[in-house]
Amino acid sequence: MSEGETIIIKGGRVVDPGQDLDMTADVVLADGVVKGIYGRRRTRESGTVIDATGLVVSPGFIDLHCHLREPGFEYKETIASGTLAAARGGFTAVCAMPNTNPVMDSRAVVDFVLERALSEGFVRVMAIGAVTRGSLGKQLSEMGELAQAGVVGFSDDGHPVSDDNMMRQALSYSTSLGLPIINHCEALDLSDGGDMNEGWVSNRLGLKGIPNSAEEAMVARDILLAETTGGRLHIAHASTAGTVEMVRRAKERGLSVTCEATPHHLTLGHEAVLGDRGDGGQFSPLTLAAYETNAKVAPPLRSQEDVDALVRGLADGTVDFIATDHAPHATIEKVSTFSEAANGISVLETALGSLMALVHEGKLPLPVLIERLTAAPANFLGVGLGSLKTGGPADVTIFDPDAEWVVDSTEFVSKGKNTPLDGATLKGRVVATIVGGAVRYDARESGSAG
Ligand code: DOR
């Protein structure tokens, strides 16, 4: 289906927190935009019909943090495969992190990524520029040039901006450019080459632990610098209760501080490294599934107390939105000792199914989950996405909140099969993803009427 066609999404539960909407309705898309939402008086429009009875119809999900790996690491992912995975996961727009090769620290690389995304991408792609040249932390990148090239923020993700003065300067520039500095908060002296969260699992497995303070020390520094510079700070992949608390207090003081959490940090604890997908416990016997390198990620999966604090923070708005940190790696980079394995999880295709557990367990109302995947990241980016307002872009995600399915990573369209959820049963699955009025993913047949 091309973007010119009229599509009628019939009879679904339309949840659009951006306009405080939650009702059974028909959504009509035409010419790439939302033509209208029709409640009790159903539409008489004709066109291609998607029957959404029993399904949720939401604005397209927006992912502020993913790794598309192109240029340079096409063996892990390409813009084509990563954006196809995004479409399968219900994401209609993603922001690509700059840890490519070459690093996205110049207009030429940003242009390359954005142009390739237009010609080969399945969803919208925005670019995040590097804070420092080569993300090496020594010299600021040409932030002005990158802003002109259209980046939506700056980050050295994968690496922290360790140098205090570099971070201070970056935050100062961020005020004049009106763009956020997105920091991967990890005090390297404290993480000290550790493998996983410091706690009973690391003790039992004999792996070197990473304390919560490795994240929190840098979050504290960054909040201080955001206050003194007036800069705009965003904390990537928050993982600890202490981070949530510091962000809460910074917000109360009116600072320009935001943070995101990933589906895995919101739903999995460090027990995932035991390979038991959460149904184990302190006294479960060690099995051959332990040392699960697919659960190795930076920052590491933390304790249940941290997971609970992140979920509470997401519910009360301290955690501003969900971002996937989709980090695909080749299988060879995970088939190794735990210490040698690459950090990262392939997330785009499991994100909704993981997150719906929070709704099914009564920890998060569905409209709040959707807000954190749509209106909240859209507001953060300041782009006109994330809502089904009439006249706005026809970016729509349709999903079945109750469909159970078993994760089989060999079926991922992402090149990255690195998930600790392989074999897990998830409840909640994307049925169709529409970008600018064009169906980019459709899990089932759709009929015609009119
Ligand atoms: O686990 C991670 N993987 N965390 C990051 O911050 C970077 C990412 C990657 O690029 O693989």
Side-chain angles (χ1 to χ4, degrees):
M1 261 169 276
S2 70
E3 65 179 54
E5 272 182 80
T6 298
I7 299 177
I8 303 142
I9 306 166
K10 263 202 175 316
R13 175 178 170 190
V14 181
V15 182
D16 182 5
Q19 46 181 336
D20 206 13
L21 200 79
D22 186 350
M23 65 177 190
T24 302
D26 297 343
V27 179
V28 179
L29 314 175
D31 302 319
V33 298
V34 178
K35 206 163 169 207
I37 297 179
Y38 303 85
R40 221 172 295 155
R41 279 194 312 118
R42 293 292 169 80
T43 176
R44 289 166 183 270
E45 295 268 356
S46 60
T48 302
V49 171
I50 298 177
D51 179 8
T53 312
L55 306 179
V56 174
V57 181
S58 137
F61 303 157
I62 300 169
D63 185 10
L64 197 103
H65 183 152
C66 80
H67 298 271
L68 296 180
R69 306 298 195 202
E70 192 177 350
F73 300 104
E74 290 83 354
Y75 70 96
K76 295 177 195 262
E77 193 78 288
T78 61
I79 289 169
S81 64
T83 55
L84 185 57
R88 293 240 311 187
F91 293 89
T92 54
V94 298
C95 298
M97 279 292 175
N99 57 343
T100 47
N101 186 16
V103 166
M104 232 192 303
D105 62 358
S106 69
R107 176 187 277 274
V109 186
V110 175
D111 286 350
F112 169 83
V113 168
L114 295 181
E115 277 163 26
R116 180 136 304 197
L118 281 180
S119 61
E120 292 182 12
F122 289 83
V123 304
R124 299 177 199 275
V125 174
M126 290 166 269
I128 295 174
V131 180
T132 65
R133 289 194 187 180
S135 284
L136 295 171
K138 302 279 181 227
Q139 242 182 323
L140 282 184
S141 63
E142 294 290 346
M143 292 171 66
E145 176 189 300
L146 289 169
Q148 275 175 4
V151 301
V152 294
F154 301 95
S155 182
D156 280 351
D157 186 63
H159 309 282
V161 180
S162 298
D163 184 291
D164 301 338
N165 199 32
M166 196 76 56
M167 188 62 183
R168 192 178 72 95
Q169 288 177 37
L171 282 164
S172 299
Y173 284 125
S174 79
T175 46
S176 49
L177 297 173
L179 294 170
I181 305 295
I182 304 167
N183 201 13
H184 168 124
C185 289
E186 178 182 350
L188 296 173
D189 290 341
L190 289 168
S191 57
D192 196 24
D195 296 312
M196 65 170 298
N197 180 56
E198 183 175 88
W200 72 267
V201 181
S202 66
N203 284 343
R204 176 183 275 203
L205 294 180
L207 292 174
K208 187 169 160 62
I210 300 172
N212 286 17
S213 56
E215 176 169 307
E216 291 160 7
M218 194 168 282
V219 170
R221 177 204 72 171
D222 286 356
I223 291 175
L224 185 70
L225 293 174
E227 179 163 22
T228 53
T229 57
R232 190 169 158 206
L233 171 67
H234 180 71
I235 291 154
H237 43 51
S239 76
T240 78
T243 293
V244 176
E245 198 41 44
M246 282 187 275
V247 171
R248 186 174 284 126
R249 275 190 260 134
K251 285 186 161 149
E252 279 163 12
R253 286 165 49 227
L255 303 181
S256 185
V257 174
T258 51
C259 73
E260 69 192 29
T262 70
H264 39 287
H265 290 105
L266 287 161
T267 56
L268 295 174
H270 54 168
E271 294 84 357
V273 180
L274 294 170
D276 69 2
R277 292 199 301 268
D279 49 0
Q282 194 146 0
F283 304 108
S284 62
L286 274 188
T287 70
L288 286 176
Y291 301 94
E292 166 57 296
T293 55
N294 289 313
K296 184 176 178 189
V297 62
L301 300 173
R302 299 284 190 185
S303 70
Q304 193 58 46
E305 195 191 337
D306 294 305
V307 174
D308 291 344
L310 286 173
V311 173
R312 278 196 304 274
L314 186 68
D316 72 17
T318 305
V319 174
D320 296 79
F321 51 82
I322 295 158
T324 68
D325 193 9
H326 174 73
H329 290 292
T331 303
I332 191 75
E333 293 166 308
K334 289 287 194 179
V335 183
S336 65
T337 64
F338 200 85
S339 303
E340 285 166 328
N343 276 306
I345 298 178
S346 183
V347 181
L348 284 167
E349 290 166 81
T350 55
L352 177 74
S354 296
L355 293 163
M356 279 303 293
L358 301 176
V359 175
H360 293 307
E361 289 164 13
K363 295 176 181 165
L364 202 67
L366 181 68
V368 176
L369 173 65
I370 292 178
E371 201 270 344
R372 307 295 190 254
L373 284 165
T374 60
N379 289 342
F380 177 86
L381 288 165
V383 292
L385 300 172
S387 171
L388 299 174
K389 288 194 179 110
T390 302
D395 289 9
V396 188
T397 299
I398 305 171
F399 64 92
D400 184 337
D402 298 313
E404 291 199 5
W405 58 289
V406 177
V407 178
D408 176 356
S409 63
T410 64
E411 288 180 356
F412 282 4
V413 292
S414 167
K415 290 191 179 187
K417 315 298 179 195
N418 47 306
T419 175
L421 295 174
D422 210 16
T425 300
L426 302 180
K427 192 174 170 188
R429 192 164 203 183
V430 175
V431 173
T433 306
I434 301 170
V435 184
V439 177
R440 294 302 189 186
Y441 171 64
D442 190 351
R444 51 180 211 169
E445 297 290 315
S446 54
S448 255

